[in-house]
Amino acid sequence: MSSPLSQTPGSRLSKPDWLASPKVLRTEVLAGLVVALALIPEAISFSIIAGVDPAIGLFASFTMAVVISVVGGRKAMISAATGAVALVIAPLNREHGLGYLVAAVILAGVFQVVLGALGVAKLMRFVPRSVMVGFVNALAIMIFMAQVPEMHDVPWAVYPLIIGGLALMVFFPKVTKVVPAPLVSIVVLTVITVAAGIAVPTVGDKGDLPSSLPVPGLPDVPFTLDTLTTIAPYALAMALVGLMESLMTAKLVDDITDTRSDKTRESIGQGIANIVTGFFGGMGGCAMIGQTMINVKVSGARTRLSTFLAGSFLMVLCIAFGPVVSDIPMAALVAVMVMVSVGTFDWHSIRPKTLKRMPLGETTVMAVTVVVVVATDNLAIGVVVGSLTAMTIFAKRVAHLARVSGVVDPDGKQVVYSVTGELFFASSNDLVHQFDYKNDPDDVVIDLSGTHIWDASSVAALDAIETKYAERGKKVTVTGLNEPSAAMRERLAGQLTAGH
């Protein structure tokens, strides 16, 4: 992945990609502004979940976005304070206080840097497409469900405002795409509610906005082994959840933009961003899927500038324009997130025509992922359960792919068994029972040229077959092994039974 300043063959630094044209620059700036507006109520809400002052969440969103825009591996992805992280660290803050929470954020960042350096991002290759589709659909459902409380037990005027906001976002792009429709919707609804004096819930009702920039400092905790053992479990959980959500979001943005990103750099970048956030007293975070969709899919941003400006505008809006931002009706932001939810859901995946063609196992994995995510309110758990379900279905499917066919010589002195398919722990369990030990001639040849030995279980199965024939005084010759299979069998044969 190229950096914001990519080098030319002549070793001269070229212009940043966001300076490629005035149109690109305008798109990035306006996208950053829209995301910043959407970040404010979200960050405040997550602060409440974590049990900290709203300023803690807003500071975290500012530092996470600004730092990740430089060190991250996925352009245009938004990282900030998130609900998943808030849920993980809330018990620590409740039981031990803010100092321990901040220390846990810093340690989580260290864990993420280490995990990133160790190549944890490579595990993403084991996430099947059906899990990814389930992840996207569950994400869309969660984004919508998060807006439901804002539509419950509210003044009647909220509903026409939401409908009006949705209508603006649907029809305004038909007029012009110069200005992002979500920004237009937010501005128009704010002007209407302020000018008409309509009493509806606003951003200001979520909590007080900060009036100054955060300052760096050390967490207020004793630097002892007891502190480390207290925060380590929470820090590790936060690191894993944060990496899971960030890497899944990066993969989603890769698919939307048809570009590749550096997942290892993103993993390490998330750690660096959390370390910096911790030293500035923030609550930590990871990639924000909803805001990333606003930035990439709705606003059309593609560069690091939009991420940087999202964080920068966030602080500018809070500090310099706090009273104005406080007047933004929550209905405007609800409309934006509902639109994001509808646009994020993979409607093609649930069309009857698609479901009819899709293998039942794939549909099951997608459904399991969605159900678990929605039930637990945790995307990371859903992805893990979905992946395990996919692996189980796959193992069950290929376990029966190993086939054995035997041909006896006309003179009846030799039988040649041909084995086809992949040999691993699941398929090799049935292998032992596919030979006629009692009635076969004394000379048995097992041809493995049509298979591959993947693990010790397969070698143990071959040992068992040879032993069963040897007990009857019959000789077994194994042929056709490819080089890796032969090396594994030579190293393990005869070493896997009791007594060795």
Side-chain angles (χ1 to χ4, degrees), residues 220-283:
D220 184 18
V221 295
F223 292 89
T224 63
L225 184 60
D226 286 342
T227 299
L228 180 61
T229 55
T230 298
I231 67 174
Y234 295 96
L236 182 60
M238 175 184 162
L240 295 174
V241 169
L243 283 180
M244 176 72 76
E245 292 213 16
S246 299
L247 293 175
M248 289 296 289
T249 305
K251 190 173 188 302
L252 178 59
V253 177
D254 288 354
D255 293 340
I256 293 173
T257 61
D258 197 25
T259 57
R260 293 184 65 184
S261 59
D262 188 337
K263 305 299 190 303
T264 296
R265 177 176 172 178
E266 183 61 40
S267 301
I268 296 173
Q270 287 290 328
I272 295 172
N274 272 306
I275 291 171
V276 173
T277 297
F279 281 119
F280 275 91
M283 58 180 275

Side-chain angles (χ1 to χ4, degrees), residues 414-434:
Q414 184 186 68
V415 59
V416 178
Y417 283 101
S418 296
V419 181
T420 57
E422 303 300 310
L423 291 182
F424 67 112
F425 63 90
S427 60
S428 59
N429 286 334
D430 295 333
L431 187 67
V432 179
H433 306 293
Q434 298 190 47

